[in-house]
Amino acid sequence: QVQLVESGGGLVQAGDSLRLSCAVSVVTDNRYMAWFRQTPGKEREFVARISPIATTTYADYADSVKGRFTIDRDSAKNLVYLQMTNLKPEDTAVYYCAMLRRMRISEGVEYWGQGTRVTVSS
């Protein structure tokens, strides 16, 4: 069974930085990986996506986090990171790591992590 385990969440102040990690139990080099987040009363929303490790790795971001968040991965350790800077109270959510079924978000998620909570105070 494939497992994704997030870590690194916590309580920070607006303007602070935080790095989330996602440890995956299988090799992820050939898979699209992503981060989502969810707050009470809202649907889970897309945050960032990173391509497989091939020639050039590229990433996509939600408009709300573009320029502040960076998704990255470590092939040797099967880790996926979300580096968050200039955090805002609106970023408060439970953050989930995900392995996509194929390339597009619309094609669905194959495996979810259990989430790590990020709280940003003003």
Side-chain angles (χ1 to χ4, degrees), residues 15-98:
D16 285 353
S17 298
L18 201 61
R19 187 172 82 161
L20 306 182
S21 297
C22 173
V24 189
S25 63
V26 297
V27 174
T28 61
D29 291 11
N30 64 339
R31 303 298 297 270
Y32 280 83
M33 302 295 295
W35 286 92
F36 294 77
R37 66 186 183 186
Q38 187 170 28
T39 57
K42 289 189 173 183
E43 294 185 353
R44 193 167 298 185
E45 66 175 342
F46 164 77
V47 174
R49 179 188 66 163
I50 190 166
S51 70
I53 299 175
T55 54
T56 301
T57 302
Y58 63 88
D60 301 302
Y61 301 92
D63 289 342
S64 59
V65 306
K66 194 172 299 180
R68 299 188 298 119
F69 290 11
T70 302
I71 187 171
D72 202 359
R73 61 196 306 168
D74 185 327
S75 176
K77 298 182 181 297
N78 292 328
L79 290 173
V80 183
Y81 303 104
L82 184 67
Q83 178 66 50
M84 305 181 292
T85 63
N86 191 25
L87 283 162
K88 304 177 183 298
E90 306 91 89
D91 296 318
T92 295
V94 175
Y95 284 72
Y96 298 89
C97 183

